[in-house]
Amino acid sequence: MICNSTTALPLTAAYQAFLDQLTEAGLFIPQGVQGVYGFSGAFEDVLQAFDRFTMRRSAHIPSEPMHFPGVLSREVYLKTSHIENFPDLMGSVHSFVGREREHAGMLAKRQQGEEWTQDLSPSQLMLTPAGCYQLYPTATGTLTEQGRTVKLVSSVFRHEPSVDPCRMQVFRMREYVRIGTPDQALEHRRQWLALGKDILTELGLGVEVVLANDPFFGRGGRVMAASQKEQDLKHEFTIAVATSEKPTAIGSTNCHMDYFGKTFDIKTPDGATAHSACIGFGLERVTLALFKHHGLDPDHWPQEVKNALAL
Amino acid sequence: MICNSTTALPLTAAYQAFLDQLTEAGLFIPQGVQGVYGFSGAFEDVLQAFDRFTMRRSAHIPSEPMHFPGVLSREVYLKTSHIENFPDLMGSVHSFVGREREHAGMLAKRQQGEEWTQDLSPSQLMLTPAGCYQLYPTATGTLTEQGRTVKLVSSVFRHEPSVDPCRMQVFRMREYVRIGTPDQALEHRRQWLALGKDILTELGLGVEVVLANDPFFGRGGRVMAASQKEQDLKHEFTIAVATSEKPTAIGSTNCHMDYFGKTFDIKTPDGATAHSACIGFGLERVTLALFKHHGLDPDHWPQEVKNALAL
């Protein structure tokens, strides 16, 4: 079954139509909240196959593999500037730490339609805004000459409920991260700008590489966005998914300069602050792009794509 | 490298010693919060291999595969009795929904050492206490004669920071869930009590099956725990991991009777409320048990275990 064209509809209608197709095909399992879905085995198999494909295509780049749980120490979170620049995206985890009396009080509040969550306390944890936030604090100290090259996967959270199936509140990020000298970081970005595009193109996804910026909050945010663009720090691999009106970024490369090195006191052997760069693939987004472009039934995908993914 | 024996130490010391071994071996990557760790590729490979092994060993049981994101609609959460019975374990996700003025106010609070999280609002999401909470709301309605058999995996959250490496705040659960008539649910539990033990035993994990209860909160909780035991609803697969003083439950079977069927209005074809049952494997816990019992280097594990896991 091919995917009925949604590309000509107005934006919201196109998103809803694509979401409906995914749900009717059983690929998405609604969870009653925008941007939160369960996935069928068929969807998940493609997602995992793509993830393994990126690792096969980058096997020539030695790296340390890691898996992170998707929650971040609040203390680590507050060392970064995320609360300043992206407050609208954060997820703070709150828990109940009272005893039976406080419990009864909280249940009574809820019973009376009052805000029972006021009786919760902030836990030691935030939901992580990006996978690599969980890596940098573990690299505090002085690097070797080779620096660090890490491949990691993590769930991440962004508080941006949307009808766009590509814009989920919880999603998985596969990242390849470099921490080292400025040249090592830039070389990593250069390498992955090419390799990322090759990987996606090999799967029949004709992405365009575009200069981009992060969604900095507020009026000051526009200045930061412009500065990020001027400095050529972020590029996105974009492709039409639900609609060609607004292509979706299914991956990005990011130069952090010395931001994480400074924040987490990571130094190169010469004593300078380390630089870092990463590529991130939005695993669900790439999977959605594959289903959109090749059809809702992987059995009928082009043979070369199936071969590449070892499907 | 075999795992130095920690089984004779006092409890907390045994936990800390095992945690230290895992960290020194690079299997665990500390994240600055008790019960939250990154995992090395070696650890993650075993975890995924075990997960796939459970699926190979249960391939004779037709089931629908699903992946869930680990967050639960708050509305769905509040339909259950979790807030009454396990309030101390919950994770509520809070976000910032203000504009620039509120943002400035929140940053000022933080600057002045005040509780800035008071400026956050509860989102539509909780962290899920168990994987199958995400499934039942999608089954509302009348089942077919065959009912539903689902295999799912999900991150789950339990607010119980601990030095015990086996007691993590975020962990992954592989579940096999049955929704149907009382007999179908009981048969599922019977089948998995045997198959779960076989699966673990085949990997050299000599688990003991013990009657157990959930950690119900408060004084009333003791009555609920006793009742759950009396009704023979929960069994755990237990084995010594950090210490033989207190064996760890690395999986469990659970009969829910009509609890989820009633909560989410799931009916069998005769109009009665559906019953459900599940087996859950704690994926990190099983992995830890494997490293503890076979040693910290999988290359040196018994050949039959490596073969079974296709390592």
Side-chain angles (χ1 to χ4, degrees):
Chain A
M1 172 169 110
I2 59 164
C3 216
N4 288 335
S5 175
T6 57
T7 54
L9 298 170
L11 214 56
T12 304
Y15 292 148
Q16 187 66 56
F18 185 41
L19 179 56
D20 290 344
Q21 287 170 2
L22 295 162
T23 306
E24 273 150 39
L27 293 167
F28 267 33
I29 302 161
Q31 293 285 284
V33 175
Q34 271 195 347
V36 177
Y37 311 98
F39 304 121
S40 71
F43 186 91
E44 190 63 15
D45 285 348
V46 171
L47 186 146
Q48 296 295 340
F50 170 72
D51 193 36
R52 288 189 299 271
F53 177 65
T54 70
M55 288 189 274
R56 284 196 298 279
R57 284 293 176 270
S58 61
H60 56 289
I61 305 167
S63 62
E64 305 167 57
M66 298 183 185
H67 171 102
F68 286 100
V71 291
L72 192 68
S73 147
R74 188 180 297 272
E75 193 179 310
V76 162
Y77 175 82
L78 291 173
K79 285 185 172 173
T80 77
S81 59
H82 191 271
I83 191 177
E84 278 119 39
N85 292 328
F86 312 102
D88 50 330
L89 298 180
M90 83 167 79
S92 175
V93 181
H94 293 230
S95 307
F96 175 75
V97 299
R99 292 184 165 199
E100 284 174 82
R101 180 161 60 179
E102 292 81 17
H103 184 221
M106 182 168 74
L107 294 180
K109 270 190 176 150
R110 182 212 166 176
Q111 179 73 15
Q112 288 144 33
E114 292 165 32
E115 193 45 76
W116 61 270
T117 60
Q118 278 171 5
D119 292 5
L120 302 178
S121 307
S123 75
Q124 287 181 287
L125 297 171
M126 305 288 292
L127 299 182
T128 198
C132 55
Y133 277 61
Q134 298 161 104
L135 167 66
Y136 300 115
T138 73
T140 296
T142 303
L143 301 169
T144 63
E145 297 286 342
Q146 291 74 44
R148 300 287 295 278
T149 310
V150 174
K151 53 181 179 253
L152 65 90
V153 68
S154 179
S155 274
V156 306
F157 175 81
R158 301 201 179 157
H159 186 240
E160 41 180 6
S162 170
V163 66
D164 179 3
C166 284
R167 192 168 291 281
M168 293 182 221
Q169 297 201 50
V170 174
F171 60 97
R172 282 159 291 171
M173 215 182 246
R174 160 60 66 185
E175 295 185 53
Y176 294 83
V177 187
R178 189 85 173 94
I179 312 173
T181 64
D183 282 347
Q184 286 171 334
L186 278 171
E187 172 57 19
H188 181 81
R189 190 270 292 268
R190 188 205 62 73
Q191 192 175 33
W192 273 103
L193 259 178
L195 183 53
K197 186 172 187 189
D198 287 348
I199 279 172
L200 297 167
T201 305
E202 189 176 344
L203 300 180
L205 299 176
V207 292
E208 191 187 343
V209 177
V210 300
L211 182 64
N213 57 268
D214 287 313
F216 295 93
F217 179 81
R219 245 165 309 165
R222 282 182 230 139
V223 174
M224 305 212 51
S227 169
Q228 188 183 31
K229 268 185 154 163
E230 255 165 66
Q231 295 178 77
D232 207 43
L233 299 179
K234 184 181 188 74
H235 293 82
E236 290 176 341
F237 303 98
T238 66
I239 189 168
V241 183
T243 169
S244 45
E245 283 287 306
K246 199 156 177 261
T248 300
I250 64 177
S252 70
T253 58
N254 302 271
C255 279
H256 317 123
M257 308 290 272
D258 65 356
Y259 170 70
F260 286 111
K262 195 181 301 183
T263 302
F264 295 107
D265 201 28
I266 310 168
K267 296 200 179 313
T268 43
D270 62 357
T273 303
H275 279 221
S276 62
C278 69
I279 181 169
F281 291 101
L283 294 178
E284 290 85 351
R285 280 189 178 184
V286 172
T287 306
L288 283 167
L290 288 166
F291 277 103
K292 179 65 175 176
H293 285 265
H294 300 308
L296 297 179
D297 182 358
D299 282 347
H300 296 134
W301 287 6
Q303 193 57 47
E304 59 271 20
V305 175
K306 291 201 281 185
N307 291 345
L309 289 172
L311 273 180
Chain B
M1 171 168 110
I2 59 166
C3 213
N4 288 335
S5 174
T6 57
T7 54
L9 298 171
L11 214 56
T12 305
Y15 292 148
Q16 186 66 55
F18 186 40
L19 180 56
D20 290 344
Q21 286 170 3
L22 295 162
T23 306
E24 274 150 38
L27 292 167
F28 266 34
I29 302 160
Q31 292 285 284
V33 176
Q34 270 193 349
V36 177
Y37 312 98
F39 304 121
S40 70
F43 186 91
E44 190 64 15
D45 285 349
V46 172
L47 187 147
Q48 296 295 340
F50 170 73
D51 194 36
R52 288 190 299 270
F53 177 65
T54 70
M55 288 190 272
R56 285 196 298 278
R57 285 294 177 269
S58 60
H60 57 289
I61 306 167
S63 62
E64 305 166 58
M66 297 182 186
H67 172 101
F68 286 100
V71 292
L72 192 68
S73 148
R74 188 180 298 272
E75 193 178 310
V76 163
Y77 175 83
L78 290 173
K79 285 185 173 174
T80 78
S81 60
H82 192 271
I83 192 176
E84 278 117 37
N85 293 329
F86 312 102
D88 50 329
L89 299 180
M90 82 167 82
S92 175
V93 181
H94 293 230
S95 307
F96 175 75
V97 298
R99 292 186 166 197
E100 285 175 81
R101 181 160 59 179
E102 293 81 16
H103 185 222
M106 182 168 74
L107 294 181
K109 270 189 176 151
R110 183 210 166 177
Q111 178 73 13
Q112 288 146 33
E114 291 163 34
E115 191 44 76
W116 62 271
T117 59
Q118 276 170 7
D119 291 6
L120 301 179
S121 307
S123 75
Q124 287 179 287
L125 297 172
M126 305 289 291
L127 299 181
T128 199
C132 55
Y133 276 62
Q134 296 161 105
L135 167 66
Y136 301 115
T138 73
T140 296
T142 303
L143 301 169
T144 63
E145 297 286 341
Q146 291 75 41
R148 301 286 294 279
T149 310
V150 174
K151 52 181 180 252
L152 64 90
V153 68
S154 179
S155 275
V156 305
F157 175 81
R158 301 202 177 157
H159 186 240
E160 41 179 6
S162 169
V163 66
D164 179 2
C166 284
R167 191 168 292 282
M168 292 181 222
Q169 297 201 51
V170 175
F171 60 97
R172 281 159 292 172
M173 214 181 248
R174 161 59 68 185
E175 295 185 53
Y176 294 82
V177 187
R178 190 84 174 93
I179 312 173
T181 64
D183 282 346
Q184 288 171 331
L186 279 170
E187 172 56 21
H188 181 82
R189 190 271 291 269
R190 188 206 60 73
Q191 193 176 31
W192 273 103
L193 260 177
L195 183 52
K197 186 171 187 189
D198 286 348
I199 279 172
L200 297 168
T201 305
E202 190 178 343
L203 300 180
L205 299 178
V207 293
E208 191 187 344
V209 178
V210 301
L211 182 65
N213 58 267
D214 286 314
F216 294 93
F217 180 81
R219 246 164 310 163
R222 283 180 230 140
V223 175
M224 306 211 51
S227 168
Q228 189 184 30
K229 268 186 154 163
E230 254 166 66
Q231 295 178 77
D232 207 41
L233 299 179
K234 184 181 188 75
H235 293 82
E236 290 176 340
F237 303 98
T238 67
I239 188 168
V241 184
T243 169
S244 44
E245 281 288 306
K246 197 153 176 263
T248 299
I250 64 176
S252 69
T253 58
N254 301 271
C255 280
H256 318 123
M257 310 289 270
D258 66 354
Y259 171 71
F260 286 110
K262 196 182 302 185
T263 304
F264 295 108
D265 201 27
I266 310 169
K267 296 202 179 313
T268 43
D270 62 357
T273 302
H275 280 221
S276 62
C278 70
I279 182 169
F281 292 101
L283 293 178
E284 290 85 351
R285 281 189 176 183
V286 173
T287 306
L288 284 167
L290 288 166
F291 277 102
K292 178 64 176 175
H293 285 266
H294 300 309
L296 297 180
D297 183 358
D299 282 348
H300 296 134
W301 287 5
Q303 193 59 44
E304 59 272 18
V305 175
K306 290 201 280 184
N307 291 345
L309 289 172
L311 273 180

